[in-house]
Amino acid sequence: MESISVLLVEDEQTLALIIKDTLDAQGFSITTARNGEEGLRLFFEERPQVVVADVMMPRMDGFEMVRRLRQHDRQTPVLFLTARSAINDVVEGFELGANDYLKKPFGMQELIVRIKALANRFDTRGAKEPATQAAAGTTAIGRYLFNPLQQRLEIDGTQQQLSHREAQLLRMLSDNRGAVVGTQAILLDLWGDDSFFNTRSLQVFITRLRHRLAQDEHIRIINVRGIGYKLLC
């Protein structure tokens, strides 16, 4: 099995050393950074397959680092390590382009499983999509044009740039339009687990998508209570 390259951005050096030693022993290739500024520089130098980043760091926090990273790279998966518990903080992380998170303290085996899942789910070594393929990937949702690769919604010439998680969720609903997509299926596919915390986060993102699509009154995202969500247009 090919080694998975990981960029670990963590200012707590004892924890960083424990994570690095554990992942090294499991055959991962680890690069470490102590803050967001160093992490951003090393990301573009090393081009890792997965980024694991703390949220609270000096000089540049994890949110700002990922915001800047996503301006240039929308594919490489990011996992946040966070001691924060407020739902808005987690939602902010996903909106910026994070793919998963772990709350501190966490088990090393769980971290390993999450990293492997992200590395397998995303082809971070692949070439960028050609412009013609990106255009071909555009689909109509009512009066909107949706390009999941570019994470963009367009209506009447006006464009909206979606967050990574918004685009993932809308694509899943669009691919199954007219049918109920189970809440558990969404959470397991996009969040990695179906915990109560992630269920609350999904509800927030559904509300945000409804606002995004509000200019076409024929589009509805229906909550089928206790089962999931359905896109009608």
Side-chain angles (χ1 to χ4, degrees):
M1 178 180 174
E2 184 180 354
S3 175
I4 298 173
S5 59
V6 178
L7 173 61
L8 172 64
V9 190
E10 170 62 67
D11 66 310
E12 188 180 336
Q13 290 306 293
T14 299
L15 177 58
L17 183 60
I18 292 172
I19 294 174
K20 184 180 188 307
D21 287 348
T22 302
L23 295 183
D24 278 338
Q26 293 291 321
F28 292 81
S29 175
I30 311 299
T31 301
T32 59
R34 298 189 178 192
N35 57 62
E37 288 183 359
E38 185 180 9
L40 201 60
R41 175 178 60 80
L42 288 173
F43 174 81
F44 290 109
E45 289 180 4
E46 303 292 335
R47 290 294 182 175
Q49 289 171 269
V50 179
V51 176
V52 177
D54 190 17
V55 173
M56 299 298 293
M57 293 184 292
R59 300 182 66 175
M60 181 189 294
D61 67 22
F63 285 165
E64 178 62 18
M65 183 193 76
V66 171
R67 186 188 69 79
R68 297 189 188 190
L69 185 157
R70 286 293 185 236
Q71 291 175 352
H72 305 278
D73 182 296
R74 297 184 184 276
Q75 302 300 319
T76 304
V78 175
L79 184 152
F80 274 131
L81 304 177
T82 177
R84 297 184 177 188
S85 58
I87 187 67
N88 289 340
D89 289 330
V90 176
V91 170
E92 181 182 356
F94 283 131
E95 282 197 315
L96 290 170
N99 304 95
D100 202 354
Y101 74 96
L102 274 178
K103 290 193 293 181
K104 297 179 179 178
F106 53 85
M108 287 298 157
Q109 191 58 43
E110 183 177 8
L111 176 61
I112 290 170
V113 169
R114 297 287 186 96
I115 291 174
K116 287 182 177 179
L118 289 173
N120 290 334
R121 197 186 311 168
F122 295 87
D123 181 16
T124 59
R125 295 191 184 278
K128 291 186 180 298
E129 292 284 341
T132 53
Q133 291 184 18
T138 299
T139 185
I141 300 177
R143 290 167 48 212
Y144 287 87
L145 292 177
F146 172 48
N147 190 311
L149 296 175
Q150 298 178 345
Q151 298 174 200
R152 185 175 298 161
L153 266 180
E154 180 177 341
I155 184 169
D156 300 333
T158 301
Q159 295 182 347
Q160 301 181 63
Q161 192 66 44
L162 303 180
S163 70
H164 181 72
R165 187 50 52 91
E166 286 174 332
Q168 286 182 311
L169 178 55
L170 182 56
R171 183 173 191 170
M172 197 168 186
L173 292 172
S174 177
D175 287 347
N176 296 278
R177 68 183 68 185
V180 178
V181 183
T183 298
Q184 185 180 44
I186 296 173
L187 292 172
L188 292 177
D189 191 49
L190 303 187
W191 271 263
D193 70 68
D194 57 352
S195 68
F196 171 77
F197 209 56
N198 286 339
T199 302
R200 290 283 307 278
S201 181
L202 171 59
Q203 292 168 356
V204 172
F205 276 95
I206 289 291
T207 299
R208 292 179 185 275
L209 283 182
R210 286 170 175 154
H211 287 308
R212 295 280 198 186
L213 298 165
Q215 293 185 59
D216 186 339
E217 61 185 14
H218 298 291
I219 298 175
R220 292 183 294 160
I221 299 178
I222 297 175
N223 177 15
V224 182
R225 187 173 298 276
I227 301 176
Y229 297 92
K230 176 164 58 175
L231 174 66
L232 297 177
C233 56

